[in-house]
Amino acid sequence: MRHRSYDLLGCPVEACTEAIGGKWKGELLFILFSATKRYGELRKLVPGATQRILTLQLRELEEDGIIERKVYAVVPPKVEYSLSKRGETLKPIVDAMWHWGNKFLETMPKNRLKPKSESVAKDQKRKTARV
């Protein structure tokens, strides 16, 4: 649940982690650092995310001014997502988090890691079970 207001103690850290925290927000930002993407491209690049969650997290990033959504008046509709100026300022932060996370994963016991293909398969299985 997103906060609408913050207290003064811990406010900047809490605001930052809430803005970029979310199961898929880090991956979405990492993808958008490289180029502008259409919604369908993002769906393919983040196969473990449901359409609902992907849309929700894109809307939250847009609401926070981190990404920009551009809608073209064509049929079929064309929507592109890109980083805003504010979003570009996150690049060094996300890069630092990537490096820290990489070191963390290198020292994590192997039995706690599962192959990405296994987690994507589990997500797909959950999606089909809901239908």
Side-chain angles (χ1 to χ4, degrees):
M1 180 174 190
R2 293 171 56 86
H3 294 117
R4 293 292 169 209
S5 61
Y6 300 92
D7 60 19
L8 295 177
L9 186 60
C11 176
V13 173
E14 185 180 359
C16 180
T17 56
E18 185 168 301
I20 63 173
K23 185 167 184 176
W24 305 107
K25 285 183 183 179
E27 196 164 344
L28 289 168
L29 288 172
F30 205 77
I31 291 166
L32 292 174
F33 286 144
S34 64
T36 296
K37 298 288 183 192
R38 291 181 65 177
Y39 181 79
E41 292 174 299
L42 291 172
R43 288 270 321 208
K44 288 176 187 167
L45 292 168
V46 188
T50 64
Q51 184 174 345
R52 179 184 172 279
I53 293 299
L54 186 64
T55 300
L56 177 68
Q57 294 203 343
L58 286 167
R59 284 184 185 157
E60 288 176 0
L61 288 167
E62 182 185 11
E63 182 181 298
D64 291 337
I66 295 169
I67 64 171
E68 294 174 346
R69 179 178 184 259
K70 186 172 183 178
V71 180
Y72 294 89
V74 295
V75 177
K78 178 180 175 181
V79 179
E80 289 182 339
Y81 293 91
S82 60
L83 286 177
S84 66
K85 294 238 186 268
R86 175 183 275 179
E88 289 172 7
T89 65
L90 283 169
K91 186 159 179 27
I93 296 165
V94 174
D95 283 344
M97 291 173 70
W98 186 91
H99 288 291
W100 187 91
N102 194 38
K103 294 270 189 229
F104 178 75
L105 291 173
E106 286 174 357
T107 60
M108 183 175 280
K110 299 297 180 211
N111 64 344
R112 290 201 48 212
L113 299 174
K114 52 183 152 179
K116 186 164 180 96
S117 60
E118 184 181 316
S119 28
V120 169
K122 282 185 180 180
D123 287 341
Q124 293 299 333
K125 190 182 252 186
R126 271 189 241 126
K127 282 182 194 176
T128 54
R130 288 184 197 146
V131 176

